[in-house]
Amino acid sequence: MSTTGATADPLAALGSLPGVAESVESVRKAVDRVYGHRIMRRRSNEITSEAALRGARGSAALSGADWALEEVRRRTDFSADDEARMVGAALRLTAEAGQLLSIWRQSPLRVLARLHLVAAADKGDEVGRPRQNGEPVDEPLVELPLPGAHEVAGRLEGLSQLIIAGGSAPALVTAAVVHGELLALRPFGSHNGLVARAAERIVLVGSGLDPKSVCPAEVGHAELGRAAYVAALDGYASGTPEGMAGWIAHCGKAVELGVRESTAVCEALQRGAA
């Protein structure tokens, strides 16, 4: 975010990057369409529950546990192996995220600590706090240079201040920056991807763009694929206008694919009710 640090509202400034306004508008129209679906007026709770399940599955898939949706739905024990534990962590985070909306705008760092605690409850005394110098990071998907603990602390504080201050940035821009910054920093020793995607969900819901949490961006990120995800993240980490805009657009496509997923669920429920 250093390329925009000279402005009073750096998140809002990102909205003027080439192509970002178009992404924001496309996402807004897509979200409006699913919220206008007839089934949403009568059965929105079911859509929210299904979106949570599918979002958790997508987030776990990006972290290396690519299970079929029905396996996630059927399984009750998530302790058997590393993949099962990853899926269980994703499910716990999705459930927890909805409980943290009121805290996010006042204390985002507290929320991030809680998310990590929920995801990595069995990891010992490093759980729920940013890593210290010399502590390893288990995040095989992200191969960017690892910032030191001092840089992590400073950038987390800067991100926190931006969120608390609010501003005029579109929800998509804020969500993309929160997501990208957490992945680039990898502030925790593990589960940074899951935490970053849960934080993106919190921003999208808490901003009012997706108040019922029926547009699971995690589904879209998984559908776009790990290679595209990593490439877009590299653009974010570069700090260039093109790279930042590309990452925001990538996150916008993910939200739109999440909308498409929930629209398909609406259509299926409508056919069943006919």
Side-chain angles (χ1 to χ4, degrees), residues 224-245:
L224 290 167
R226 298 178 84 186
Y229 187 68
V230 170
L233 177 63
D234 286 346
Y236 174 86
S238 74
T240 65
E242 296 80 8
M244 298 289 283

Side-chain angles (χ1 to χ4, degrees), residues 67-97:
W67 287 15
L69 179 63
E70 291 310 312
E71 177 66 11
V72 178
R73 196 190 306 279
R74 178 191 68 80
R75 186 73 71 96
T76 57
D77 179 9
F78 295 97
S79 62
D81 51 40
D82 287 346
E83 285 198 4
R85 285 189 285 273
M86 186 66 72
V87 175
L91 288 166
R92 291 194 302 273
L93 279 181
T94 301
E96 186 73 12

Side-chain angles (χ1 to χ4, degrees), residues 28-103:
R28 187 191 63 77
K29 288 180 178 179
V31 173
D32 285 349
R33 284 196 297 273
V34 73
Y35 271 82
H37 198 286
R38 186 173 68 178
I39 287 292
M40 279 292 295
R41 293 195 291 272
R42 296 184 287 113
R43 303 176 69 176
S44 64
N45 288 343
E46 293 174 69
I47 309 302
T48 296
S49 296
E50 190 65 19
L53 182 72
R54 295 178 185 225
R57 192 218 73 83
S59 191
L62 281 171
S63 288
D66 192 359
W67 287 15
L69 179 63
E70 291 310 312
E71 177 66 11
V72 178
R73 196 190 306 279
R74 178 191 68 80
R75 186 73 71 96
T76 57
D77 179 9
F78 295 97
S79 62
D81 51 40
D82 287 346
E83 285 198 4
R85 285 189 285 273
M86 186 66 72
V87 175
L91 288 166
R92 291 194 302 273
L93 279 181
T94 301
E96 186 73 12
Q99 310 302 313
L100 298 172
L101 294 171
S102 63
I103 305 172

Side-chain angles (χ1 to χ4, degrees), residues 18-233:
V20 170
E22 291 82 353
S23 293
V24 168
E25 180 65 11
S26 182
V27 166
R28 187 191 63 77
K29 288 180 178 179
V31 173
D32 285 349
R33 284 196 297 273
V34 73
Y35 271 82
H37 198 286
R38 186 173 68 178
I39 287 292
M40 279 292 295
R41 293 195 291 272
R42 296 184 287 113
R43 303 176 69 176
S44 64
N45 288 343
E46 293 174 69
I47 309 302
T48 296
S49 296
E50 190 65 19
L53 182 72
R54 295 178 185 225
R57 192 218 73 83
S59 191
L62 281 171
S63 288
D66 192 359
W67 287 15
L69 179 63
E70 291 310 312
E71 177 66 11
V72 178
R73 196 190 306 279
R74 178 191 68 80
R75 186 73 71 96
T76 57
D77 179 9
F78 295 97
S79 62
D81 51 40
D82 287 346
E83 285 198 4
R85 285 189 285 273
M86 186 66 72
V87 175
L91 288 166
R92 291 194 302 273
L93 279 181
T94 301
E96 186 73 12
Q99 310 302 313
L100 298 172
L101 294 171
S102 63
I103 305 172
W104 175 255
R105 286 298 295 270
Q106 286 75 43
S107 186
L109 297 185
R110 179 182 165 196
V111 169
L112 294 176
R114 175 62 185 171
L115 291 173
H116 187 248
L117 181 65
V118 168
D122 59 345
K123 293 292 183 179
D125 61 3
E126 73 272 19
V127 168
R129 62 159 175 80
R131 57 184 168 81
Q132 300 171 1
N133 281 329
E135 291 183 337
V137 174
D138 180 15
E139 201 67 48
L141 179 61
V142 181
E143 298 181 352
L144 294 167
L146 192 66
H150 182 73
E151 180 181 351
V152 168
R155 286 172 63 175
L156 282 178
E157 182 60 31
L159 183 64
S160 175
Q161 290 175 4
L162 287 174
I163 293 165
I164 292 169
S168 59
L172 173 64
V173 172
T174 303
V177 168
V178 167
H179 185 170
E181 193 73 354
L182 292 174
L183 274 180
L185 292 177
R186 284 146 291 162
F188 303 109
S190 64
H191 297 86
N192 290 286
L194 293 184
V195 169
R197 291 183 288 275
E200 179 185 50
R201 173 184 285 267
I202 287 172
V203 174
L204 293 172
V205 174
S207 67
L209 177 66
D210 179 22
K212 295 182 183 294
S213 194
V214 298
C215 307
E218 306 97 322
V219 168
H221 286 302
E223 185 170 337
L224 290 167
R226 298 178 84 186
Y229 187 68
V230 170
L233 177 63

